[in-house]
Amino acid sequence: MSTTTATPEKPVTVQALPRMGQLDFLRLMAQGFRGNFAPLHEAVKKYPQGIETRIVRQRCILMNEPAGIEELLVRNQRCYHRRTRSTPLKVFTGESVLTLSGEPHLRQRKLIQPAFHKSRIDAYADTMATLGEQCAARWRDGDTFDMHEQLTALTARIITKTMFSSDIEDDVRIVGEAIDTCLSRSGRYVVPAVGKMLDLLPLRSTRLIKHSLGELDAVIYRFIRDHRRAGGDLDDLLSMLIAARYDDGSALTDRQLRDESMTLFLAGHETTASALSWTLYLLTQHADVAERLRAEVDHVLQGGRSPKLDDMQALDYTRRVFTESMRMFPPVCGVDREAVTPNTVLGMDIRVGDLLIVTPLVTHYDPRWYPEPERFDPDRWLPERAESVPKHAYIPFGGGARRCIGERFAWMEGILLLAIFARDWTFELAPDARIQARLNITLRPSNGVRVIARRRPMKAT
Ligand code: HEM
């Protein structure tokens, strides 16, 4: 491999990346899927810019150089399609902004983007805070529970309310459980032929997936019908989607509304729940960080009031904690693209059909940008330290035209909920907690995060 270092005048280029054998590469990935990330973190030290391999006959590049990630996701994004052939989510979401590629994706994204305009998302802050308060008010001092389960239910409630204006517990439960069933069994669709075959067999898992999809469809189509009947804007995401028009004046069909709603549910609920679960887990392991977080929250929320949109800026340490947690446990661990037009990345020729993969599980542990990458250190996001991190070396939300559409929603939800929990509670890991990361579309704690909740003493105001 020959490389040159970047300077403002001289971009990073490589003639070729180091090659790894197919079996070694698949082993590395399989270890990652099982939650053993140490080999991936070692690989980034050995091959900081990336690796080239072949999967069967396809050339495959694991890209880790931020300049290369930027070319792939931003500058040359038109040369790539999402690898829908093997996107397991497509089975559940159908044709939506998440699974479309090329012009159809850009058209869909343009249509949906206004629903995620800052002013629309900001209006959900009170809903997030209210539902967060209700969740935290149900805990009792000394309770032991699975925090991940609590957060999954809470984020399901938040997305159901903001998406459909519904807080009917039955709807929330059905949707939450059905999504969990689908996501936890999505691995079978990674190789589409295997998924299709299993779908034809009379297996329990097949029955469960079909049943869950049927339930989800019934609830979502009912919401669509009710919204159409009510007419007007209910200030929720579905109303925005119903009102949206393509350039030719046409609107989304019921099937498209169902696909987009399902997508927002899948993409927007489990991700934030996982991000928050990992954050609270890390806080149980770092008493000093938890203490500083509580001090900030006490200062900002004087008198123990509920956090509001306007507090977001002052909750600066809270944001750094959430940022650092998503560095260490990125909820979405991989973004892949297939080249549909020849182009170059870091000066390397990319041919049609090449597969390029970016994974924050590798990039976020690059010691070039993150000294002591295994260390949970929210202060690495202080402005003076963070400025040395290249833009595309922190990619929990991806980048370019496909950057997460719900990013603002996720930051707001994460910061407000963390502030509410830290204001009233401290958590310690329960003795029977078994923390295990597993990749299942999102990086989730597969055995949950069992904690003991301790109520903080009331503050004199
Ligand atoms: C911590 C929480 C979240 C994380 C880490 C996350 C991460 C990501 C990432 C990495 C992508 C890009 C995938 C790619 O380029 O292939 C993405 C796309 C997407 N996300 Fe998120 N997401 C989060 C929350 C949300 C929320 C709350 C919503 C909606 C309410 C949402 C909706 C979407 C959608 C619709 C896309 C597809 C965008 C497109 O392809 O144009 N996400 N997300």
Side-chain angles (χ1 to χ4, degrees):
M1 176 187 61
S2 80
T3 61
T4 54
T5 329
T7 66
E9 310 81 49
K10 204 174 178 191
V12 182
T13 57
V14 301
Q15 262 95 59
L17 289 170
R19 281 171 197 271
M20 186 179 265
Q22 175 172 216
L23 281 180
D24 286 339
F25 184 75
L26 289 176
R27 194 173 304 125
L28 191 68
M29 289 295 147
Q31 284 165 324
F33 267 92
R34 285 199 302 272
N36 177 8
F37 305 129
L40 281 171
H41 300 161
E42 279 311 305
V44 67
K45 285 185 204 147
K46 212 160 145 197
Y47 313 112
Q49 293 185 305
I51 300 170
E52 179 171 336
T53 187
R54 296 197 87 78
I55 299 178
V56 192
R57 282 197 296 274
Q58 191 172 32
R59 180 182 179 218
C60 171
I61 290 173
L62 178 67
M63 176 50 66
N64 191 45
E65 187 64 39
I69 296 176
E70 181 171 356
E71 279 180 287
L72 170 67
L73 298 183
V74 186
R75 275 199 264 153
N76 299 353
Q77 59 90 12
R78 283 179 183 271
C79 301
Y80 294 92
H81 278 184
R82 183 194 283 288
R83 201 169 166 241
T84 36
R85 247 189 314 133
S86 65
T87 299
L89 280 179
K90 197 174 176 185
V91 178
F92 311 122
T93 61
E95 302 278 338
S96 75
V97 69
L98 185 73
T99 53
L100 291 166
S101 279
E103 282 308 318
H105 167 260
L106 293 177
R107 181 170 178 259
Q108 199 72 356
R109 176 94 188 198
K110 191 173 160 204
L111 183 89
I112 287 168
Q113 195 75 50
F116 288 86
H117 187 269
K118 181 177 172 305
S119 58
R120 290 300 290 207
I121 298 302
D122 286 357
Y124 301 138
D126 286 348
T127 302
M128 291 175 182
T130 305
L131 294 175
E133 296 284 2
Q134 284 171 8
C135 171
R138 281 196 283 266
W139 300 330
R140 297 283 161 260
D141 190 29
D143 273 359
T144 301
F145 53 78
D146 176 4
M147 183 54 103
H148 185 58
E149 205 176 277
Q150 295 280 317
L151 289 168
T152 307
L154 173 56
T155 53
R157 251 176 240 128
I158 291 177
I159 194 86
T160 311
K161 182 79 184 168
T162 50
M163 178 99 214
F164 301 124
S165 297
S166 169
D167 42 21
I168 301 170
E169 269 306 311
D170 267 357
D171 290 339
V172 175
R173 188 187 45 76
I174 289 172
V175 169
E177 285 176 6
I179 284 181
D180 190 54
T181 304
C182 294
L183 282 184
S184 57
R185 287 165 181 80
S186 59
R188 67 202 268 174
Y189 300 107
V190 171
V191 180
V194 173
K196 273 189 194 144
M197 191 189 71
L198 293 177
D199 281 353
L200 295 174
L201 299 177
L203 304 170
R204 184 168 173 271
S205 57
T206 302
R207 276 198 307 278
L208 274 174
I209 291 175
K210 287 192 175 152
H211 177 73
S212 300
L213 272 177
E215 285 201 311
L216 274 171
D217 275 356
V219 174
I220 293 178
Y221 279 121
R222 170 162 53 77
F223 283 137
I224 295 172
R225 267 197 318 276
D226 290 352
H227 272 63
R228 285 210 191 279
R229 214 172 287 140
D233 187 354
L234 297 182
D235 277 341
D236 58 19
L237 287 167
L238 180 59
S239 299
M240 284 294 284
L241 295 181
I242 290 175
R245 292 292 176 269
Y246 291 109
D247 288 344
D248 65 5
S250 61
L252 291 170
T253 61
D254 278 5
R255 172 73 209 193
Q256 284 176 307
L257 286 169
R258 175 262 179 221
D259 287 353
E260 293 301 345
S261 304
M262 188 80 98
T263 295
L264 295 176
F265 252 104
L266 285 170
H269 141 249
E270 166 76 18
T271 41
T272 349
S274 292
L276 277 163
S277 298
W278 289 119
T279 310
L280 289 160
Y281 161 66
L282 284 164
L283 290 171
T284 64
Q285 304 301 293
H286 297 85
D288 52 332
V289 176
E291 191 48 51
R292 274 182 72 187
L293 176 71
R294 287 194 288 272
E296 175 176 274
V297 168
D298 289 351
H299 175 71
V300 175
L301 306 181
Q302 296 277 338
R305 64 176 175 81
S306 200
K308 304 214 159 298
L309 178 70
D310 291 348
D311 297 317
M312 295 270 294
Q313 212 175 347
L315 290 167
D316 186 42
Y317 190 67
T318 315
R319 176 182 288 271
R320 290 209 294 279
V321 168
F322 197 47
T323 310
E324 177 69 345
S325 160
M326 285 194 285
R327 179 187 72 80
M328 297 188 74
F329 292 98
V332 175
C333 296
V335 163
D336 54 17
R337 300 283 189 269
E338 216 164 60
V340 290
T341 311
N343 66 105
T344 57
V345 169
L346 300 183
M348 283 184 302
D349 283 329
I350 304 295
R351 297 178 283 272
V352 170
D354 287 352
L355 174 67
L356 281 88
I357 303 175
V358 172
T359 163
L361 269 178
V362 171
T363 311
H364 290 181
Y365 282 79
D366 190 330
R368 290 179 295 169
W369 332 118
Y370 303 110
E372 296 184 78
E374 314 288 340
R375 202 155 82 84
F376 178 54
D377 176 12
D379 281 344
R380 62 172 97 237
W381 299 104
L382 281 168
E384 60 277 20
R385 285 178 65 191
E387 68 186 14
S388 59
V389 178
K391 188 164 174 218
H392 289 88
Y394 185 71
I395 44 168
F397 295 98
R402 304 208 78 125
R403 191 183 176 96
C404 177
I405 207 168
E407 178 172 353
R408 191 175 175 83
F409 189 111
W411 281 110
M412 203 159 86
E413 196 174 10
I415 292 170
L416 293 176
L417 295 183
L418 276 178
I420 290 169
F421 298 162
R423 188 194 61 208
D424 297 341
W425 297 95
T426 62
F427 303 101
E428 55 196 76
L429 217 51
D432 61 348
R434 286 185 304 123
I435 302 300
Q436 172 69 54
R438 264 295 142 80
L439 257 177
N440 210 328
I441 301 194
T442 59
L443 179 67
R444 33 157 106 181
S446 57
N447 304 319
V449 178
R450 285 191 57 76
V451 294
I452 306 174
R454 304 268 180 226
R455 183 180 283 286
R456 293 184 61 203
M458 297 289 255
K459 298 261 160 354
T461 54

